[in-house]
Amino acid sequence: KSSSPVIFKKGINCSIKNVHKLLISVNRKPEWVVGLKEVKYDENKLERVGTKHECILPLNSLYIETAKNKVLENEIIYAETVDPTGIYPAFNQVFILKKLGSNLCCLSLEIHHNSSFLQKYIFETIMASSTKKSLIKFKELCEKENLSIDD
């Protein structure tokens, strides 16, 4: 049983190319993902579909695999599959970037998961708060860096 995804949206004053570059940068995740202490990954492997990394959180780790990285002129879809661990069910994070202007894009994050009613409630309550905070940090980081990145 697949529940409808939890969706978050954020407008970002930054080019879609630069937002995508920051989004797929595994080593930059601790700068914007709330609660993320460290990311472990094979630095010798390029970040592409099938690449896995481990996100170290205060109480556990999440094991994440890049599932999709589709780049079109005005839209980019980047997706990650997260293995089940502890209280978290397996879930997919789908980041959709839509170009709205040369220096403006919209980021939609869809979180898809299959879980029981209780798991769904706990998961969505915990995820909603940290995800909203993370997306605010991500937006601020993109906009700050946009001033110093040549397109």
Side-chain angles (χ1 to χ4, degrees):
K1 57 183 189 269
S2 179
S3 60
S4 56
V6 184
I7 301 173
F8 302 91
K9 290 190 177 203
K10 187 69 60 192
I12 302 175
N13 294 306
C14 186
S15 73
I16 191 170
K17 183 176 136 190
N18 289 338
V19 172
H20 179 243
K21 192 187 308 182
L22 189 59
L23 181 65
I24 65 170
S25 176
V26 174
N27 63 324
R28 302 284 310 270
K29 275 187 170 189
E31 294 178 53
W32 61 272
V33 176
V34 171
L36 181 57
K37 302 293 182 207
E38 177 187 355
V39 179
K40 291 184 180 177
Y41 63 101
D42 185 344
E43 294 179 30
N44 297 318
K45 286 187 179 177
L46 292 173
E47 294 167 24
R48 64 170 145 238
V49 173
T51 304
K52 295 184 177 193
H53 60 276
E54 178 185 1
C55 290
I56 314 292
L57 300 168
L59 300 175
N60 64 347
S61 291
L62 294 177
Y63 296 90
I64 301 173
E65 181 176 340
T66 302
K68 186 175 197 172
N69 192 22
K70 183 179 179 183
V71 180
L72 303 170
E73 189 178 337
N74 294 315
E75 183 179 77
I76 297 172
I77 301 170
Y78 175 74
E80 297 177 328
T81 299
V82 183
D83 292 344
T85 177
I87 61 166
Y88 295 104
F91 64 96
N92 293 310
Q93 302 186 111
V94 182
F95 297 87
I96 301 164
L97 295 170
K98 289 192 187 296
K99 182 177 179 176
L100 302 176
S102 61
N103 235 17
L104 181 64
C105 65
C106 178
L107 168 62
S108 297
L109 168 56
E110 297 180 358
I111 299 176
H112 299 261
H113 62 93
N114 297 318
S115 53
S116 69
F117 178 78
L118 183 59
Q119 255 189 326
K120 175 180 164 52
Y121 176 77
I122 294 169
F123 176 74
E124 290 182 3
T125 303
I126 292 170
M127 288 298 287
S129 174
S130 62
T131 301
K132 284 177 188 170
K133 290 176 188 165
S134 294
L135 290 181
I136 290 168
K137 285 179 74 172
F138 183 74
K139 171 186 167 70
E140 289 170 351
L141 187 60
C142 287
E143 292 176 352
K144 185 181 88 181
E145 295 215 347
N146 195 46
L147 302 173
S148 60
I149 297 175
D150 293 322
D151 213 336

